[in-house]
Amino acid sequence: RAHACAYAVAQVKHALAELQSRLSVVNWGPESLMTPARSAWVSACTGFGVPSEGMRRWWKQITKAYSETQRHYHTMNHVRQMVDNIMLWAIWGMLKTLLHV
């Protein structure tokens, strides 16, 4: 069981390192921080082979649309919460599979 836990931790660390390397491919500029929502966007776009300029252009449109003043529920905060939930479930699923729980 201890070996399975160590293996699971190593797999999660590897997945996080791979994601970090993917995120470093896109230069968002010094004015922007890499948020979980943007990280997920970059990861998805990279997986589909979207060029970095397209990633930046579409992300700008998404943030503009979801930051409109008339929005009260479907805002960037909501997008971030959904991405956080998806990431947590993905990690849980990976651990569950690796540990055969």
Side-chain angles (χ1 to χ4, degrees):
R1 192 89 170 150
H3 178 69
C5 287
Y7 179 75
V9 168
Q11 290 296 323
V12 170
K13 284 183 180 180
H14 176 73
L16 292 173
E18 184 179 330
L19 178 60
Q20 184 62 37
S21 70
R22 286 184 182 181
L23 297 178
S24 66
V25 170
V26 179
N27 180 10
W28 295 92
E31 71 283 355
S32 62
L33 297 174
M34 188 61 75
T35 63
R38 188 178 303 152
S39 297
W41 174 254
V42 170
S43 182
C45 287
T46 301
F48 286 111
V50 176
S52 60
E53 182 52 41
M55 286 184 216
R56 284 190 293 271
R57 187 178 60 243
W58 278 102
W59 183 254
K60 187 176 179 179
Q61 290 181 343
I62 290 168
T63 55
K64 181 180 177 185
Y66 281 85
S67 299
E68 294 171 341
T69 56
Q70 77 272 12
R71 290 185 177 266
H72 299 287
Y73 178 74
H74 291 109
T75 63
M76 282 307 293
N77 190 45
H78 177 73
V79 171
R80 285 184 202 101
Q81 290 170 345
M82 294 298 100
V83 169
D84 286 348
N85 289 338
I86 291 167
M87 291 173 72
L88 286 172
W89 279 107
I91 291 170
W92 170 247
M94 266 179 39
L95 288 172
K96 193 174 171 184
T97 300
L98 292 169
L99 296 174
H100 306 289
V101 176

